[in-house]
């Protein structure tokens, strides 16, 4: 494995999204259908860069408006709509990628206190190699 590939593999860990895929949680997650994707939302830091504890309301806003997610599953029709993507279109992302999405996008839900989203395939704006440090501007 090349150096950059090894680094990416290190970054794509459940700890960054606070999701360890334990059996109970994994069996309760929905299976996205059609052109939809299941996204895990990274945990929000509870302190500012200066070390000050954030208010619960601030953390809720950051969690709700996040622009980063981890692709856990993709529906069977993702990136296959010829009218939107063309007949020879390559998928914009794949399972296991961290992706940049629009703020407040998708259907939000929690399982055992962990937030997930269902988004449409065309909601993905970019693939992110290292999600740490991203926030909505």
């Amino acid at each position: 494995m090349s150096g950059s590939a090894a680094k990416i593999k290190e970054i794509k860990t459940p700890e960054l999204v606070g999701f360890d895929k334990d059996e109970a949680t994994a069996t309760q997650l929905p299976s996205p259908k059609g052109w939809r994707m299941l996204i895990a939302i990274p945990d929000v830091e509870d302190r500012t860069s200066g070390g000050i504890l954030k208010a619960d309301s601030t953390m809720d806003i950051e969690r709700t408006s996040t622009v980063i997610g981890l692709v856990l599953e993709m529906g069977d029709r993702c990136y296959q709509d010829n009218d939107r993507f063309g007949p020879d279109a390559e998928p914009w992302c794949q399972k296991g990628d961290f992706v940049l999405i629009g703020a407040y996008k998708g259907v939000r839900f929690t399982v055992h206190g962990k937030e997930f989203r269902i988004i449409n395939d065309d909601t993905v704006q970019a693939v992110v190699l290292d999600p740490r440090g991203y926030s909505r501007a």
Side-chain angles (χ1 to χ4, degrees):
M1 184 178 302
S2 72
S4 63
K7 183 177 180 185
I8 292 168
K9 185 174 176 92
E10 285 176 22
I11 292 169
K12 293 181 180 182
T13 61
E15 293 80 28
L16 285 178
V17 293
F19 176 58
D20 59 10
K21 281 201 169 184
D22 64 46
E23 190 65 31
T25 302
T27 59
Q28 290 180 303
L29 291 175
S31 178
K33 302 298 180 194
W35 60 86
R36 294 180 179 87
M37 297 179 192
L38 175 63
I39 306 290
I41 301 302
D43 288 336
V44 175
E45 295 290 328
D46 64 348
R47 296 188 180 273
T48 66
S49 58
I52 298 170
L53 190 62
K54 294 178 185 174
D56 288 342
S57 59
T58 300
M59 290 184 58
D60 287 342
I61 290 168
E62 288 181 15
R63 197 174 297 110
T64 302
S65 65
T66 188
V67 293
I68 295 289
L70 175 66
V71 178
L72 296 179
E73 296 291 335
M74 297 172 69
D76 62 338
R77 301 285 303 149
C78 281
Y79 303 111
Q80 294 183 19
D81 185 333
N82 290 341
D83 293 335
R84 291 190 298 162
F85 303 109
D88 299 322
E90 298 275 331
W92 295 355
C93 64
Q94 61 186 356
K95 184 176 170 180
D97 283 344
F98 282 99
V99 293
L100 185 66
I101 60 176
Y104 304 103
K105 296 294 182 186
V107 175
R108 297 177 57 221
F109 63 96
T110 61
V111 176
H112 297 293
K114 176 69 192 130
E115 184 169 335
F116 299 89
R117 305 241 177 113
I118 299 283
I119 65 168
N120 293 337
D121 56 2
D122 62 355
T123 303
V124 172
Q125 303 297 312
V127 173
V128 176
L129 295 180
D130 185 346
R132 296 172 288 193
Y134 277 81
S135 65
R136 184 178 65 96

